[in-house]
Amino acid sequence: MNQRWTILLGRIGAVLVAAGLTLVMVSFIPPVKDQGYSYFERGVVVQPQTFSVSNSYFLSTPVDPQHGLHIGVYTDRTVSIYLLDVGRDHVEEWVEERLPDSQQLSSLNASIMEEFLTSHQSNVAWQGNTTNGNAEFEYVPTKITNTTLVFSNVDLQDASIDYDIQLLRFIVSSERASNPAKFAIPLGITLAVPRLSSMIRRRKSTVPAR
Amino acid sequence: MVKGRPFLEILASSLHGDYKFPILELLVFLFLLSSFVFASLGFGSLEAPEEYFVYHITGSLMGMPLFIFAMLLFRNIASGIGNDLEKGTMQTILAYPLKRRSILTAKLISAFGVATLVFLGTQFSALWILAPDMVGPHLQVVLLTYVEYLSLPLLVASLTLLLTLLLKKGTLGVVFGLMMFFLFGILSSLVSLVAYATNSVLPLQLYSVVAPQVATDFYYGSLLPMGHVFWAPSFSEVLLYTGAGYGITALILFLSYLYFSRRLDT
């Protein structure tokens, strides 16, 4: 290969490695739990086969790619949890359109919420179940968005739910930073190999024999 | 000699001079790191169109990297062209079987082109990593933001180039570039103060000719659902100011080419 091309590819490779290492470094910076921005609620009762939309005013503040949420849910039953990337008012409006007589979202019929979730699948940012009565997860949005937390009691008895929400401050989400680095570093090294080998060969040839 | 080879020779030598190992790698590191660290995405409400947020997020990622980028441009002009003139190396370069304007083009591709490419590459990557769901649907807003924010540094860099050619001194050129850049920063605050004090948008309009970012700021600010907006330029006005800003930069570059091709005496 032409020496100039080897040098050019080598530099592009070195740049990719530098970018990849920067991303790896950034991905190691842990998020900070903002103690000033936290919310908890105890003893939320969800009747069997019903849904409940969290009443947290805290969630009406938009989150963004540098401000995520750490959510912990603790209950004695098996509960399905949905975090939606739309505001509570959006859910309320949607329900009101279908059930003009409904009074509140606190204990919705399962079928109406299932219908909502089916028609808003792209808005389900996270979903999971409590295992051994607990569930903890982190959510880092990819845009600026409001959020809504929905609990579904799939059990046949009342579920009493405690939950807490904490704001997380990120420089960048660890996963999102490390993913491109996984491609950039190997590609960069591959591009830089011909340049490195030619440098080593040249150095060997210029070292005088003893 | 193969046609085009001298041009590539000069370009390669300029690139080697401007971006000695590991300058380019360190720049990528600084651009990426400062993009993430200095980004400011906290918004209290979503009562605005998404374009407004995309514009401000893209702009917030550029704060410190744009300053580093401007410094890099001034340094490249000073060391790449100014020092060649000062030390007499330019005489050797002018001996290449190449038109003078091609020589300057090769130098500028290295000084401006590669720096801009690296800057935009790292900025876009950082933005994509941070907020992919905002960048994808609003690519035109992202591109417009880059065009607006780059206008002033490129204008000052063109002025620095012209002055470096006139004075034939690299150090003076870079000092002038830095001073101009800070002066425009101060001017930006002063213009706003005068505009609000006199209750006239004329100072803002005049300043937007050289710094179209000001008009764009007001344009996106006017999208907020608030009562009184001091200045609400239309989108076509924003484009007009942008065109004017880049027109001035192009004119200064044209004068630099003219001087380099016809008048420069090494």
Side-chain angles (χ1 to χ4, degrees), chain A residues 72-87:
Chain A
V73 180
Y74 315 97
T75 178
D76 50 347
R77 305 277 173 221
T78 303
V79 171
S80 295
I81 306 153
Y82 300 90
L83 184 72
L84 310 177
D85 66 0
V86 290

PDB file of all heavy atoms in Angstrom, chain A residues 72-87:
ATOM      1  N   GLY A  72     -37.596   2.673  42.466  1.00  0.00           N
ATOM      2  CA  GLY A  72     -37.648   1.456  43.274  1.00  0.00           C
ATOM      3  C   GLY A  72     -39.091   1.184  43.664  1.00  0.00           C
ATOM      4  O   GLY A  72     -39.782   2.090  44.137  1.00  0.00           O
ATOM      5  N   VAL A  73     -39.557  -0.046  43.430  1.00  0.00           N
ATOM      6  CA  VAL A  73     -40.947  -0.411  43.766  1.00  0.00           C
ATOM      7  C   VAL A  73     -40.894  -1.605  44.725  1.00  0.00           C
ATOM      8  O   VAL A  73     -40.185  -2.577  44.468  1.00  0.00           O
ATOM      9  CB  VAL A  73     -41.743  -0.787  42.492  1.00  0.00           C
ATOM     10  CG1 VAL A  73     -43.177  -1.175  42.839  1.00  0.00           C
ATOM     11  CG2 VAL A  73     -41.742   0.364  41.495  1.00  0.00           C
ATOM     12  N   TYR A  74     -41.614  -1.491  45.830  1.00  0.00           N
ATOM     13  CA  TYR A  74     -41.576  -2.541  46.856  1.00  0.00           C
ATOM     14  C   TYR A  74     -43.009  -2.922  47.218  1.00  0.00           C
ATOM     15  O   TYR A  74     -43.808  -2.057  47.589  1.00  0.00           O
ATOM     16  CB  TYR A  74     -40.827  -2.039  48.099  1.00  0.00           C
ATOM     17  CG  TYR A  74     -39.545  -1.315  47.724  1.00  0.00           C
ATOM     18  CD1 TYR A  74     -39.524   0.082  47.641  1.00  0.00           C
ATOM     19  CD2 TYR A  74     -38.391  -2.025  47.413  1.00  0.00           C
ATOM     20  CE1 TYR A  74     -38.374   0.743  47.252  1.00  0.00           C
ATOM     21  CE2 TYR A  74     -37.237  -1.361  47.028  1.00  0.00           C
ATOM     22  CZ  TYR A  74     -37.234   0.020  46.946  1.00  0.00           C
ATOM     23  OH  TYR A  74     -36.104   0.666  46.548  1.00  0.00           O
ATOM     24  N   THR A  75     -43.320  -4.189  47.076  1.00  0.00           N
ATOM     25  CA  THR A  75     -44.692  -4.645  47.353  1.00  0.00           C
ATOM     26  C   THR A  75     -44.676  -6.103  47.806  1.00  0.00           C
ATOM     27  O   THR A  75     -43.651  -6.798  47.660  1.00  0.00           O
ATOM     28  CB  THR A  75     -45.591  -4.473  46.106  1.00  0.00           C
ATOM     29  OG1 THR A  75     -46.885  -4.972  46.387  1.00  0.00           O
ATOM     30  CG2 THR A  75     -45.032  -5.197  44.907  1.00  0.00           C
ATOM     31  N   ASP A  76     -45.812  -6.565  48.342  1.00  0.00           N
ATOM     32  CA  ASP A  76     -45.886  -7.954  48.781  1.00  0.00           C
ATOM     33  C   ASP A  76     -46.509  -8.850  47.705  1.00  0.00           C
ATOM     34  O   ASP A  76     -46.708 -10.034  47.915  1.00  0.00           O
ATOM     35  CB  ASP A  76     -46.703  -8.041  50.086  1.00  0.00           C
ATOM     36  CG  ASP A  76     -48.037  -7.304  49.965  1.00  0.00           C
ATOM     37  OD1 ASP A  76     -48.200  -6.541  48.980  1.00  0.00           O
ATOM     38  OD2 ASP A  76     -48.909  -7.487  50.837  1.00  0.00           O
ATOM     39  N   ARG A  77     -46.851  -8.285  46.568  1.00  0.00           N
ATOM     40  CA  ARG A  77     -47.502  -9.049  45.488  1.00  0.00           C
ATOM     41  C   ARG A  77     -46.678  -8.955  44.197  1.00  0.00           C
ATOM     42  O   ARG A  77     -45.700  -8.229  44.128  1.00  0.00           O
ATOM     43  CB  ARG A  77     -48.904  -8.488  45.197  1.00  0.00           C
ATOM     44  CG  ARG A  77     -49.804  -8.412  46.384  1.00  0.00           C
ATOM     45  CD  ARG A  77     -50.475  -9.740  46.658  1.00  0.00           C
ATOM     46  NE  ARG A  77     -51.204  -9.677  47.915  1.00  0.00           N
ATOM     47  CZ  ARG A  77     -51.235 -10.654  48.798  1.00  0.00           C
ATOM     48  NH1 ARG A  77     -50.592 -11.775  48.563  1.00  0.00           N
ATOM     49  NH2 ARG A  77     -51.912 -10.541  49.923  1.00  0.00           N
ATOM     50  N   THR A  78     -47.166  -9.684  43.186  1.00  0.00           N
ATOM     51  CA  THR A  78     -46.546  -9.543  41.866  1.00  0.00           C
ATOM     52  C   THR A  78     -47.245  -8.413  41.129  1.00  0.00           C
ATOM     53  O   THR A  78     -48.461  -8.455  40.912  1.00  0.00           O
ATOM     54  CB  THR A  78     -46.680 -10.860  41.055  1.00  0.00           C
ATOM     55  OG1 THR A  78     -46.079 -11.902  41.815  1.00  0.00           O
ATOM     56  CG2 THR A  78     -45.994 -10.737  39.712  1.00  0.00           C
ATOM     57  N   VAL A  79     -46.477  -7.413  40.809  1.00  0.00           N
ATOM     58  CA  VAL A  79     -47.039  -6.215  40.180  1.00  0.00           C
ATOM     59  C   VAL A  79     -46.274  -5.931  38.892  1.00  0.00           C
ATOM     60  O   VAL A  79     -45.047  -6.035  38.857  1.00  0.00           O
ATOM     61  CB  VAL A  79     -46.913  -5.002  41.146  1.00  0.00           C
ATOM     62  CG1 VAL A  79     -47.271  -3.709  40.451  1.00  0.00           C
ATOM     63  CG2 VAL A  79     -47.784  -5.197  42.369  1.00  0.00           C
ATOM     64  N   SER A  80     -47.014  -5.609  37.834  1.00  0.00           N
ATOM     65  CA  SER A  80     -46.353  -5.187  36.588  1.00  0.00           C
ATOM     66  C   SER A  80     -46.182  -3.683  36.624  1.00  0.00           C
ATOM     67  O   SER A  80     -47.085  -2.960  37.054  1.00  0.00           O
ATOM     68  CB  SER A  80     -47.196  -5.572  35.376  1.00  0.00           C
ATOM     69  OG  SER A  80     -47.284  -6.964  35.280  1.00  0.00           O
ATOM     70  N   ILE A  81     -45.016  -3.238  36.155  1.00  0.00           N
ATOM     71  CA  ILE A  81     -44.712  -1.802  36.202  1.00  0.00           C
ATOM     72  C   ILE A  81     -44.458  -1.317  34.778  1.00  0.00           C
ATOM     73  O   ILE A  81     -43.745  -1.963  34.014  1.00  0.00           O
ATOM     74  CB  ILE A  81     -43.449  -1.547  37.054  1.00  0.00           C
ATOM     75  CG1 ILE A  81     -43.622  -2.179  38.442  1.00  0.00           C
ATOM     76  CG2 ILE A  81     -43.152  -0.060  37.186  1.00  0.00           C
ATOM     77  CD1 ILE A  81     -42.306  -2.548  39.077  1.00  0.00           C
ATOM     78  N   TYR A  82     -45.022  -0.173  34.465  1.00  0.00           N
ATOM     79  CA  TYR A  82     -44.801   0.441  33.156  1.00  0.00           C
ATOM     80  C   TYR A  82     -44.357   1.885  33.380  1.00  0.00           C
ATOM     81  O   TYR A  82     -45.013   2.614  34.124  1.00  0.00           O
ATOM     82  CB  TYR A  82     -46.084   0.454  32.326  1.00  0.00           C
ATOM     83  CG  TYR A  82     -46.663  -0.914  32.056  1.00  0.00           C
ATOM     84  CD1 TYR A  82     -47.583  -1.466  32.936  1.00  0.00           C
ATOM     85  CD2 TYR A  82     -46.272  -1.653  30.946  1.00  0.00           C
ATOM     86  CE1 TYR A  82     -48.111  -2.733  32.711  1.00  0.00           C
ATOM     87  CE2 TYR A  82     -46.806  -2.918  30.715  1.00  0.00           C
ATOM     88  CZ  TYR A  82     -47.719  -3.446  31.600  1.00  0.00           C
ATOM     89  OH  TYR A  82     -48.239  -4.701  31.371  1.00  0.00           O
ATOM     90  N   LEU A  83     -43.270   2.258  32.745  1.00  0.00           N
ATOM     91  CA  LEU A  83     -42.888   3.667  32.770  1.00  0.00           C
ATOM     92  C   LEU A  83     -43.149   4.209  31.366  1.00  0.00           C
ATOM     93  O   LEU A  83     -42.579   3.717  30.378  1.00  0.00           O
ATOM     94  CB  LEU A  83     -41.411   3.847  33.140  1.00  0.00           C
ATOM     95  CG  LEU A  83     -40.982   5.303  33.278  1.00  0.00           C
ATOM     96  CD1 LEU A  83     -41.569   5.932  34.535  1.00  0.00           C
ATOM     97  CD2 LEU A  83     -39.478   5.446  33.309  1.00  0.00           C
ATOM     98  N   LEU A  84     -44.019   5.186  31.277  1.00  0.00           N
ATOM     99  CA  LEU A  84     -44.387   5.755  29.964  1.00  0.00           C
ATOM    100  C   LEU A  84     -43.653   7.064  29.743  1.00  0.00           C
ATOM    101  O   LEU A  84     -43.450   7.834  30.693  1.00  0.00           O
ATOM    102  CB  LEU A  84     -45.899   6.005  29.913  1.00  0.00           C
ATOM    103  CG  LEU A  84     -46.811   4.855  30.330  1.00  0.00           C
ATOM    104  CD1 LEU A  84     -48.265   5.310  30.286  1.00  0.00           C
ATOM    105  CD2 LEU A  84     -46.614   3.657  29.417  1.00  0.00           C
ATOM    106  N   ASP A  85     -43.284   7.320  28.478  1.00  0.00           N
ATOM    107  CA  ASP A  85     -42.609   8.598  28.211  1.00  0.00           C
ATOM    108  C   ASP A  85     -43.604   9.661  27.723  1.00  0.00           C
ATOM    109  O   ASP A  85     -43.325  10.443  26.820  1.00  0.00           O
ATOM    110  CB  ASP A  85     -41.425   8.427  27.237  1.00  0.00           C
ATOM    111  CG  ASP A  85     -41.839   8.002  25.847  1.00  0.00           C
ATOM    112  OD1 ASP A  85     -43.051   7.825  25.620  1.00  0.00           O
ATOM    113  OD2 ASP A  85     -40.958   7.839  24.985  1.00  0.00           O
ATOM    114  N   VAL A  86     -44.754   9.665  28.353  1.00  0.00           N
ATOM    115  CA  VAL A  86     -45.745  10.735  28.141  1.00  0.00           C
ATOM    116  C   VAL A  86     -46.199  11.198  29.528  1.00  0.00           C
ATOM    117  O   VAL A  86     -46.062  10.456  30.505  1.00  0.00           O
ATOM    118  CB  VAL A  86     -46.976  10.273  27.331  1.00  0.00           C
ATOM    119  CG1 VAL A  86     -46.626  10.019  25.884  1.00  0.00           C
ATOM    120  CG2 VAL A  86     -47.607   9.047  27.953  1.00  0.00           C
ATOM    121  N   GLY A  87     -46.735  12.388  29.588  1.00  0.00           N
ATOM    122  CA  GLY A  87     -47.180  12.916  30.872  1.00  0.00           C
ATOM    123  C   GLY A  87     -48.483  12.280  31.322  1.00  0.00           C
ATOM    124  O   GLY A  87     -49.228  11.700  30.519  1.00  0.00           O
TER     125      GLY A  87
END
